[in-house]
Amino acid sequence: VFESENPALKSLPLAVQQKHIIVTCNYEARRRGLYKLQLVKEARRVCPDVVVVLGEDLTRFRDASKALYNLLRAFAWSGKVERLGFDEVFMDVTDMIHYNLELLNHNDLGRSFFHLDRNDPTIGFPYDASNIFGHTYPKTPIHPLSPPSSTPTSPQFLRPDTLSMRLLLGSHLAQHLRHQLEEQKGYTCTVGISTTKLVSKLVGNINKPKGQTTLIPPYESTHEYESNVTTFIDAHDIGKIPGIGFKLAQKMRQHVLQRRPAFDAGLVYGGTKEHVSVRDVRIFRDMCAELLESLLGGPGSPKGIGAKVWGLINGVDDTGVGKARIVPRQISIEDSYIRLETIDEVKKELRMLAGSLMRRMRLDLMEDDDDDDLPVDDDVYSAIAEMPPAKRRWLAHPRTLRLTTRPRPSRNPDGSRVRCFSRISRSNPLPTFVFNLTENVEALVDKLVNEALVPIFRKLHPEKSGWDLSLVNVAVTNMAETATDGKDGTGRDIGRMFKRQESVLREWKVEDRDMAP
């Protein structure tokens, strides 16, 4: 985002600071030894000429994320476009690939045309369907039509409708989307192409920055060939697999090493010094879903965690790409702290978090009321005409307010402290005054803190002080969509329907007029 606003920064080592930590940095900075979650003081020592910019205000990142997401969503026929954080998006383009696969002329693959619109055959782009675009894993691909002698030659690899051909088309669509992002928005990106969210996310990390990688078949092992999925996943550290968090990874490392894994020292969020690969876990004696369930399960663990993790380390991920949502499932704001232990400090931080939450709610849960100026019939809609004008309207009303904290455990006699990531939460109904659009936002924030958040906090932490909090999170959840013209709302927006009716029915309106003879 900063490089897009100031292109001169692209060639410089650039780091984004939140509090005393580098939360992210560009590739030039990483080349010089900087990394995420590094102390600013340490980053300046390693790279004295690093440009450090403040990233406390996330508004610009959210705006850029939403703009890029909306651009990609416009290409998807199925609407299955799922955002992950600020800078990652999953797209399910199965229907687009299937449609274009059926239109291929296998006698002239080099001059193919990818159709982006089923109703308009002129919208799309030309491409060469005889070759995969971009990088592949492994680097020597199996050609979908004419594999070399060193690759499988069974009929399943020769048919034009095989997985290989579908991935080939996907690689060209990925290249087109990357080009559109850079041309229209000025952002570059990296893409991974595969059949699951797990593998596409991991394979997209290979050729950063500005590259794309397709994981090519075989995707299943046979007596002759090992699955490329298995080979690829096996090489990763167990903690790098999406869906396997730090605590789960540590339990598996401890089981494989038969001792407690050592931590890296000197970091606020220290990593582990131990490298235990997916393969180390997968082939460990007696390893199976049942063993993982006994190892990883217990109070607070989701049911079936063993089977899920066993699937992930074998490259199996059956989670689908979620459909694009106009209304998010929740809005959450959090911050971390070195030490937070008095009520005055807590109130100050709650006020900052609540202010950010209110602004996010008005950004993500509201829309412009575009129909205010449409003509209406005064006789029919007199009641609506007397209503005060509203420029903005709520798309949804969250019903629940949740407060979460993460206290640090007490120090041991030797001064050390057990590493802990446990959070505690409490929820209450969200006060309806937060939806008041006429009252000052700051006044609403003070009211929300004093009347809702502080009482929840005192129930979470009845002690008067000494909590030693490392994190506080404030969230609104349980969205109830308001009346709308779409199918996802809780009812029809009758006011908007009346205001639209005159223009919608104009072509069918019958007028009694005298006609000239």
Side-chain angles (χ1 to χ4, degrees):
V1 174
F2 290 105
E3 289 180 346
S4 178
E5 294 174 351
N6 182 5
L9 295 174
K10 292 183 178 181
S11 60
L12 302 174
L14 176 68
V16 180
Q17 175 184 353
Q18 289 182 4
K19 291 198 165 51
H20 53 284
I21 296 172
I22 299 298
V23 292
T24 189
C25 54
N26 66 2
Y27 288 98
E28 178 60 25
R30 296 178 193 184
R31 190 180 66 82
R32 302 194 190 191
L34 272 59
Y35 50 88
K36 292 181 181 180
L37 303 183
Q38 187 177 26
L39 294 172
V40 175
K41 182 179 179 180
E42 173 67 13
R44 292 190 185 279
R45 186 189 67 79
V46 173
C47 183
D49 57 341
V50 63
V51 178
V52 179
V53 294
L54 293 177
E56 299 286 353
D57 184 4
L58 301 179
T59 302
R60 65 177 70 188
F61 304 113
R62 292 193 180 97
D63 291 345
S65 176
K66 183 177 288 188
L68 300 181
Y69 173 76
N70 288 336
L71 187 151
L72 293 173
R73 186 177 64 176
F75 284 95
W77 294 354
S78 65
K80 293 181 179 180
V81 184
E82 181 180 345
R83 185 161 47 180
L84 180 65
F86 283 153
D87 61 350
E88 293 186 58
V89 172
F90 291 112
M91 293 183 67
D92 185 339
V93 294
T94 304
D95 52 352
M96 300 177 72
I97 299 301
H98 178 73
Y99 180 83
N100 281 277
L101 191 62
E102 291 186 332
L103 297 179
L104 276 181
N105 179 358
H106 296 282
N107 297 315
D108 193 10
L109 291 174
R111 294 188 295 176
S112 299
F113 187 83
F114 197 103
H115 295 266
L116 295 172
D117 191 324
R118 279 176 289 206
N119 300 317
D120 188 342
T122 65
I123 298 177
F125 59 91
Y127 71 105
D128 179 4
S130 63
N131 288 292
I132 290 178
F133 186 91
H135 303 277
T136 62
Y137 179 93
K139 291 185 178 180
T140 303
I142 298 170
H143 195 280
L145 298 179
S146 303
S149 57
S150 60
T151 59
T153 56
S154 60
Q156 63 174 335
F157 289 96
L158 300 177
R159 292 198 307 267
D161 61 341
T162 62
L163 174 60
S164 295
M165 201 68 198
R166 294 171 183 272
L167 292 168
L168 184 150
L169 267 64
S171 72
H172 287 278
L173 176 59
Q175 187 272 338
H176 178 75
L177 295 177
R178 290 173 54 221
H179 176 73
Q180 292 301 311
L181 276 176
E182 187 166 8
E183 184 179 66
Q184 297 188 36
K185 300 296 182 180
Y187 288 89
T188 60
C189 67
T190 305
V191 183
I193 301 100
S194 187
T195 57
T196 65
K197 293 164 68 174
L198 168 68
V199 178
S200 62
K201 177 176 171 60
L202 290 175
V203 80
N205 293 331
I206 297 179
N207 290 290
K208 288 186 174 182
K210 299 194 299 183
Q212 68 177 65
T213 309
T214 305
L215 194 143
I216 56 176
Y219 274 25
E220 296 180 358
S221 298
T222 67
H223 64 282
E224 292 183 79
Y225 306 102
E226 187 173 16
S227 164
N228 282 338
V229 175
T230 301
T231 305
F232 175 66
I233 296 286
D234 272 355
H236 288 77
D237 183 87
I238 190 64
K240 297 295 185 181
I241 302 302
I244 298 179
F246 182 84
K247 290 193 289 185
L248 294 179
Q250 283 296 85
K251 289 181 179 180
M252 286 185 279
R253 290 188 184 107
Q254 183 170 339
H255 182 77
V256 171
L257 297 171
Q258 298 294 292
R259 58 175 172 80
R260 185 181 293 276
F263 288 110
D264 193 7
L267 294 178
V268 175
Y269 302 101
T272 178
K273 293 180 179 179
E274 312 283 3
H275 176 78
V276 175
S277 71
V278 170
R279 177 177 171 81
D280 293 333
V281 176
R282 187 173 61 81
I283 66 173
F284 195 77
R285 63 180 180 271
D286 299 325
M287 186 57 67
C288 61
E290 292 74 18
L291 177 58
L292 286 172
E293 184 68 35
S294 64
L295 180 66
L296 307 177
S301 299
K303 185 178 180 181
I305 185 65
K308 177 185 176 182
V309 172
W310 179 246
L312 292 177
I313 65 177
N314 281 279
V316 177
D317 177 20
D318 58 1
T319 58
V321 176
K323 279 205 169 188
R325 291 176 56 88
I326 298 177
V327 175
R329 289 184 173 86
Q330 69 171 25
I331 297 178
S332 173
I333 305 289
E334 72 179 27
D335 206 348
S336 56
Y337 312 94
I338 294 295
R339 193 174 183 86
L340 195 63
E341 57 180 0
T342 68
I343 192 62
D344 289 337
E345 292 173 344
V346 168
K347 286 183 177 179
K348 178 182 177 182
E349 297 305 322
L350 286 177
R351 192 167 283 107
M352 293 177 61
L353 294 173
S356 297
L357 183 69
M358 290 288 294
R359 287 188 287 273
R360 278 281 308 282
M361 287 173 59
R362 296 194 172 200
L363 177 66
D364 295 346
L365 300 182
M366 297 187 70
E367 68 174 356
D368 294 328
D369 196 353
D370 297 325
D371 298 328
D372 286 334
D373 297 326
L374 288 176
V376 297
D377 189 321
D378 292 337
D379 292 335
V380 179
Y381 313 118
S382 57
I384 297 176
E386 294 173 1
M387 294 174 61
K391 298 298 181 184
R392 302 274 288 167
R393 64 185 292 272
W394 290 98
L395 290 170
H397 290 152
R399 295 173 177 171
T400 304
L401 176 67
R402 185 185 68 220
L403 177 65
T404 303
T405 64
R406 186 175 65 199
R408 287 189 179 88
S410 301
R411 290 189 179 275
N412 299 321
D414 61 358
S416 63
R417 196 196 306 267
V418 176
R419 190 181 177 102
C420 178
F421 296 92
S422 298
R423 301 185 179 196
I424 55 176
S425 301
R426 195 175 184 99
S427 300
N428 272 355
L430 179 66
T432 56
F433 61 72
V434 300
F435 305 117
N436 188 333
L437 298 179
T438 60
E439 193 169 349
N440 180 270
V441 173
E442 294 304 319
L444 292 176
V445 168
D446 286 338
K447 197 173 179 182
L448 182 64
V449 170
N450 294 323
E451 297 184 17
L453 289 172
V454 170
I456 297 177
F457 181 85
R458 292 196 182 279
K459 290 180 180 179
L460 271 178
H461 301 283
E463 309 87 1
K464 291 187 177 181
S465 62
W467 315 289
D468 195 4
L469 304 178
S470 63
L471 178 141
V472 177
N473 175 291
V474 178
V476 288
T477 65
N478 195 13
M479 300 291 179
E481 297 190 35
T482 58
T484 177
D485 294 333
K487 61 181 179 181
D488 297 325
T490 56
R492 296 295 301 276
D493 186 343
I494 193 69
R496 177 170 290 196
M497 184 184 72
F498 279 146
K499 292 159 72 177
R500 282 175 174 267
Q501 188 166 327
E502 177 69 15
S503 59
V504 171
L505 299 180
R506 184 177 292 120
E507 61 180 297
W508 291 285
K509 188 173 183 179
V510 177
E511 297 183 7
D512 185 12
R513 293 184 296 181
D514 293 334
M515 302 294 293

